[in-house]
Amino acid sequence: MKKPELLAPAGDYGCFQAALKAGADAVYMGGQQYGARAYAGNFSRDEVLSALDEAHFYGKRIYLTVNTLMKQKELDRLPDFIFPFYEAGLDGVIVQDVGALRVLGENFPGLALHASTQMTVTDAAGALAYKELGVVRVVPARELSLKEAALLKKESGMEVEVFVHGAMCYCYSGQCLFSSMLGGRSGNRGRCAQPCRQPYSIRMGGGTGKPCYPLSLKDLCTIDLIPELIDAGIDSFKIEGRMKRAEYVAGVTDAYRRRIDSYLAYPKKKAPVPPQDRKLLSSLYVRTGLGSGYLKKHNGREMVTLGQPGYAGCDDGLLQEIRSRLLEKEMEVPVSFAAVLEADKPFRLTARSGELSVCMEGEMAQKAQKRPMGEEEVKKQLARTGGSGFFADRTDVAIKGDVFLPVKSINELRRSVLEKLRAARIAAFRAQRGNREISGIPSREPASAAQPRRGLGRPGLSASVSSLPQLEACLGSNGLGSGVSGTEVARIYVPSSAVNTEMLGRLEEARKKGLSTEIFLALPVIMRAETAAQLEHEKRLLETGLFSGVQTATASGLMWLEKIGWKGKAALDHRLYIWNRQTWEFWRDRMDTYCAPLEQNGREILALPAPGPGEKGRKEILAYGRIPMMVTANCIRKTAGACGKDMQPARESGQKNRTGAASEGLFLIDRYQTAFPVACDCRFCYNLIFNSVPLSLHGFLPELSESGAAFLRLDFLEESGKETEKILRLFAEGLGGGRPQPDYGFTTGHYRKGAQ
């Protein structure tokens, strides 16, 4: 039975040492840059280097978090940031940005690359898309079931790391723009302000419930599931908590350490969790209760802390017990000594730790003139290893004849031997982890800045629709529908959840009339193994021949298209983040267009690559539409007690009923009475929570016209057919040189300043 890695968090050096003392096999931490916990203490360059030596001495590993999305200048500086840690034997990096994966893989051979949970990997297909970049371990979305995580490992052949304890995000990690859009603090940049922990009312069917905390999940605790996780072959058990104090790190790590070791020692016994451990885990900075997360269920009201979600206080007695039992103890490695003293020969001392040994010679021993030196006296001095990290487990002393050696000389040689043995342990552990000898600083030429392409002509309009009236308005833009003509839409995206028989008939009719508009089928935003069979519906839609392209928000979607042999175009949604040229280069040959990210400012968006007509990787910019701020496995409607189906049978039977992605009269109402629309995709069982007002970049159309973008995209969610026509006309007039004056409330998002 394989022993899994126990991976603990560290927000500062004290937490790092707490993790080691409590039995962690590895520790993950962030430096002063690039980490997804900008408000943790984090580690200076020297602290990371010191921690690497200390961890490797004790046979432990360190992974550095580099799990933010990176602007071009930041990515160009990444090699200089990583190099000293790589040289010191860094064991791995946890990464979100595809461009960062490319840069790290090209510059640092042998460095283990781990795909962060921020990459929203939900199945083996998504994992395999990043395997070609050198990723060896995946931290999948926390929403996966245990069965899905095990299947991902089996089908990808990659290591899988699963969160086992700590706070839970409501949104799929990496897909949350809530904090970013409301306050400018981006979770993708490590600065989440946690709006999910604020109160909201649920409005549904005209009625509004009392304020509660429907977006605040209970903390994760899988101590009871450890045997199942081990049996499933999960490689690493990860504890969340880089923002938490040393007592939390030590107490939680210790409880899971003992649980893992107990099961590995007696797998058939299946002993229950000790009551004292269960009590400890429920008392250490818990947010109103614990649950097993998504490992055994898809979602549910019982997973949410509908009451006040603030952290409960910790008993001072418990904290003191953890300090005295774990934090105040010394970590020491056993060492055996073999000393040889003979008159007129150098004092010889050998120290052995595991498979390593060091032998050194010291001062010349003298023939005793008065009292000869005895074995116990030598052993006493060799046992004084305090502060070295070693303790004398066994000491053999051979004295030949009557000899004398100053105590000072014994102590000096002992210190020298242990220092050399310490260095040998550190070097040996690095070698075991596959780090190579470094002959010089790796080549790390910064990528040339991407320049906007001028003279490519005015961008066309593309539109995403979620209802038949919206589709009619867009078809009417070129005279093939009931809407206004003269406002041509060059491309229409239709979510598969919105496609019905009537819509298919309308598209077929338009094709027969000579429709020139490209029609793209938009795949589900989240694709998982548990819903893979349901993609037969999307496959049949593509086989109708009505769609010239497919839009995907995930790497899994691209891999699925390759699997079914799709030969048409592929468009990447803004959720598949392209923040820099290296990321664009990786995806370029697999895409026709990409949508610029929503958290960059105008200058950064305009600087993204913009190939010309007929080239791959053309740019699209979202110019209008409600921004999807969360994609969630948990369901607002179900939390409100209004789910129309039994979830568990649905998961097993490949549910066929669904609710379209358009408005359903479901809203979250915040404390300022702002309403956020919620759409439920019941076929694939996820929610989309949208911003209260649409993004509208109508005031920037002159510069957007010169951006080199192939399309400016308009996303329609709740708009009626008439409203859709009006907005189409407004943007067409603006692109034609007019000054559009909208009659709707709007936001310009991050276009002016960008996210922090």
Side-chain angles (χ1 to χ4, degrees):
M1 187 179 295
K2 180 181 177 181
K3 180 180 180 180
E5 172 188 84
L6 180 58
L7 178 57
D12 57 36
Y13 211 91
C15 290
F16 160 69
Q17 292 183 316
L20 296 187
K21 291 179 179 181
D25 299 304
V27 180
Y28 65 102
M29 60 180 62
Q32 296 296 325
Q33 302 176 62
Y34 305 110
R37 288 291 182 270
Y39 302 116
N42 292 322
F43 289 69
S44 68
R45 175 184 179 276
D46 289 343
E47 284 177 326
V48 174
L49 294 174
S50 177
L52 281 165
D53 281 351
E54 187 170 351
H56 292 160
F57 171 71
Y58 291 113
K60 311 297 185 180
R61 295 175 289 277
I62 285 184
Y63 307 133
L64 196 67
T65 56
V66 188
N67 54 343
T68 57
L69 296 174
M70 299 184 194
K71 301 176 183 180
Q72 192 64 57
K73 289 182 179 179
E74 295 167 337
L75 185 55
D76 292 342
R77 294 194 298 264
L78 181 61
D80 287 316
F81 173 74
I82 292 294
F83 179 74
F85 311 136
Y86 175 76
E87 190 176 33
L90 179 64
D91 299 285
V93 284
I94 305 171
V95 185
Q96 176 183 15
D97 192 283
V98 168
L101 286 173
R102 291 194 72 201
V103 167
L104 292 168
E106 291 168 358
N107 285 288
F108 302 104
L111 179 62
L113 303 178
H114 299 178
S116 169
T117 191
Q118 289 285 117
M119 296 192 82
T120 326
V121 175
T122 54
D123 60 8
L128 289 169
Y130 301 121
K131 190 173 185 177
E132 64 184 83
L133 283 166
V135 172
V136 297
R137 178 184 292 186
V138 173
V139 190
R142 276 172 270 201
E143 287 77 4
L144 296 197
S145 67
L146 177 54
K147 181 179 179 181
E148 286 178 300
L151 184 64
L152 189 158
K153 175 178 172 59
K154 178 181 178 181
E155 293 182 345
S156 70
M158 301 167 73
E159 292 183 7
V160 170
E161 177 180 303
V162 170
F163 280 92
V164 295
H165 196 91
M168 293 279 285
C169 293
Y170 191 79
C171 181
Y172 278 91
S173 293
Q175 298 299 313
C176 186
L177 303 181
F178 214 136
S179 173
S180 176
M181 291 302 164
L182 293 189
R185 289 170 52 178
S186 170
N188 285 316
R189 305 278 289 166
R191 295 175 171 84
C192 179
Q194 296 191 325
C196 52
R197 305 299 182 185
Q198 296 299 320
Y200 299 89
S201 300
I202 300 175
R203 178 184 297 166
M204 185 170 53
T208 303
K210 295 180 180 180
C212 58
Y213 295 85
L215 307 184
S216 181
L217 291 179
K218 293 178 180 178
D219 285 3
L220 177 67
C221 178
T222 67
I223 194 76
D224 290 298
L225 300 180
I226 290 301
E228 291 184 61
L229 286 161
I230 293 175
D231 291 344
I234 302 302
D235 299 278
S236 181
F237 297 173
K238 187 173 194 173
I239 297 168
E240 182 277 337
R242 281 197 291 137
M243 297 288 287
K244 294 173 184 172
R245 55 194 290 180
E247 290 87 350
Y248 167 89
V249 174
V252 173
T253 302
D254 175 61
Y256 279 87
R257 173 80 280 156
R258 287 183 284 104
R259 179 65 167 163
I260 292 168
D261 293 347
S262 173
Y263 182 69
L264 290 173
Y266 305 102
K268 295 182 179 180
K269 188 176 181 181
K270 298 188 182 300
V273 177
Q276 63 270 25
D277 286 349
R278 196 179 299 280
K279 181 179 179 181
L280 179 146
L281 294 174
S282 64
S283 304
L284 275 176
Y285 303 102
V286 172
R287 185 179 275 112
T288 64
L290 296 172
S292 59
Y294 294 99
L295 290 173
K296 290 293 185 177
K297 61 181 67 175
H298 185 88
N299 56 26
R301 177 188 175 95
E302 68 279 6
M303 297 172 66
V304 182
T305 61
L306 291 173
Q308 179 68 39
Y311 279 114
C314 291
D315 179 75
D316 288 340
L318 173 62
L319 297 179
Q320 184 54 49
E321 187 273 332
I322 293 173
R323 292 186 200 109
S324 59
R325 181 169 59 88
L326 297 171
L327 301 184
E328 295 173 6
K329 76 175 185 180
E330 293 293 329
M331 285 189 68
E332 294 179 318
V333 174
V335 61
S336 62
F337 289 115
V340 178
L341 287 88
E342 185 175 355
D344 300 324
K345 290 186 177 181
F347 170 39
R348 188 173 184 181
L349 181 62
T350 301
R352 178 179 294 276
S353 177
E355 299 298 318
L356 298 174
S357 65
V358 170
C359 183
M360 296 181 68
E361 292 183 343
E363 186 178 331
M364 196 77 71
Q366 305 168 18
K367 185 174 180 61
Q369 299 298 319
K370 296 181 180 180
R371 184 178 64 84
M373 181 166 280
E375 289 184 12
E376 292 305 317
E377 189 176 357
V378 176
K379 287 183 178 181
K380 179 180 178 181
Q381 297 307 315
L382 293 179
R384 298 175 63 182
T385 59
S388 68
F390 292 98
F391 74 92
D393 184 45
R394 175 178 175 178
T395 304
D396 296 319
V397 178
I399 299 178
K400 300 180 181 179
D402 295 338
V403 299
F404 171 77
L405 189 67
V407 169
K408 177 182 178 183
S409 299
I410 298 176
N411 292 338
E412 286 178 350
L413 187 59
R414 182 199 70 234
R415 283 192 289 267
S416 297
V417 166
L418 292 182
E419 286 174 3
K420 193 170 182 179
L421 184 58
R422 178 186 179 89
R425 282 182 60 87
I426 293 171
F429 190 80
R430 292 179 188 173
Q432 291 170 6
R433 300 308 302 162
N435 291 302
R436 303 179 182 181
E437 290 294 323
I438 301 171
S439 57
I441 297 177
S443 170
R444 44 190 197 280
E445 292 293 328
S448 57
Q451 298 296 326
R453 294 278 295 276
R454 306 298 183 184
L456 295 180
R458 195 177 80 180
L461 286 178
S462 63
S464 174
V465 302
S466 53
S467 70
L468 185 58
Q470 294 168 0
L471 176 64
E472 289 284 3
C474 292
L475 292 176
S477 69
N478 55 18
L480 292 175
S482 59
V484 61
S485 61
T487 312
E488 185 169 351
V489 176
R491 177 180 291 183
I492 300 174
Y493 299 105
V494 184
S496 61
S497 58
V499 177
N500 54 30
T501 302
E502 189 177 11
M503 188 174 286
L504 283 175
R506 186 65 190 88
L507 289 174
E508 188 172 0
E509 178 187 348
R511 284 286 185 216
K512 290 179 180 178
K513 291 182 178 180
L515 176 68
S516 60
T517 301
E518 294 182 309
I519 306 297
F520 276 53
L521 182 71
L523 296 179
V525 174
I526 294 295
M527 299 174 66
R528 293 171 54 168
E530 69 171 16
T531 52
Q534 292 165 214
L535 289 171
E536 284 299 313
H537 170 70
E538 279 69 18
K539 186 172 181 289
R540 287 193 297 270
L541 289 176
L542 294 178
E543 290 170 350
T544 64
L546 296 174
F547 300 93
S548 55
V550 178
Q551 182 193 61
T552 178
T554 66
S556 298
L558 281 176
M559 300 295 281
W560 180 77
L561 290 174
E562 292 180 9
K563 179 181 177 181
I564 67 171
W566 174 249
K567 302 300 182 184
K569 295 179 179 179
L572 305 190
D573 194 17
H574 51 74
R575 297 178 180 89
L576 201 56
Y577 301 115
I578 295 180
W579 277 54
N580 48 66
R581 176 171 285 275
Q582 285 88 340
T583 303
W584 174 80
E585 288 173 346
F586 177 71
W587 295 121
R588 175 177 50 191
D589 292 339
R590 290 173 167 171
M591 64 174 170
D592 172 66
T593 53
Y594 71 97
C595 189
L598 304 183
E599 293 187 289
Q600 290 195 334
N601 63 37
R603 183 182 67 258
E604 292 159 348
I605 291 173
L606 297 181
L608 289 170
E615 297 181 68
K616 288 184 176 293
R618 294 180 297 160
K619 180 164 61 180
E620 178 179 65
I621 299 173
L622 184 66
Y624 172 85
R626 290 190 188 250
I627 292 174
M629 302 195 300
M630 277 190 172
V631 186
T632 77
N634 232 290
C635 180
I636 302 297
R637 186 181 293 278
K638 190 171 185 180
T639 296
C643 179
K645 57 188 180 64
D646 185 353
M647 293 299 301
Q648 189 60 33
R651 289 182 73 173
E652 296 172 352
S653 64
Q655 59 205 35
K656 297 184 182 299
N657 58 313
R658 69 177 187 273
T659 303
S663 172
E664 304 168 4
L666 180 62
F667 297 88
L668 282 176
I669 312 297
D670 72 7
R671 50 190 169 164
Y672 305 110
Q673 299 307 301
T674 304
F676 301 93
V678 180
C680 304
D681 189 319
C682 296
R683 266 186 73 229
F684 291 88
C685 202
Y686 60 77
N687 281 188
L688 292 168
I689 302 175
F690 293 89
N691 202 359
S692 58
V693 292
L695 170 78
S696 189
L697 301 183
H698 59 273
F700 303 97
L701 290 177
E703 62 188 76
L704 291 175
S705 296
E706 297 295 320
S707 67
F711 300 104
L712 298 184
R713 188 171 114 197
L714 314 177
D715 282 2
F716 299 108
L717 179 70
E718 299 178 296
E719 293 82 357
S720 66
K722 292 295 183 182
E723 289 170 332
T724 302
E725 292 175 14
K726 185 186 301 183
I727 292 164
L728 286 170
R729 185 183 297 110
L730 181 144
F731 276 85
E733 291 173 355
L735 286 173
R739 295 186 175 182
Q741 299 295 324
D743 59 0
Y744 51 81
F746 64 90
T747 175
T748 57
H750 288 300
Y751 194 82
R752 293 182 185 274
K753 295 183 179 180
Q756 294 182 13

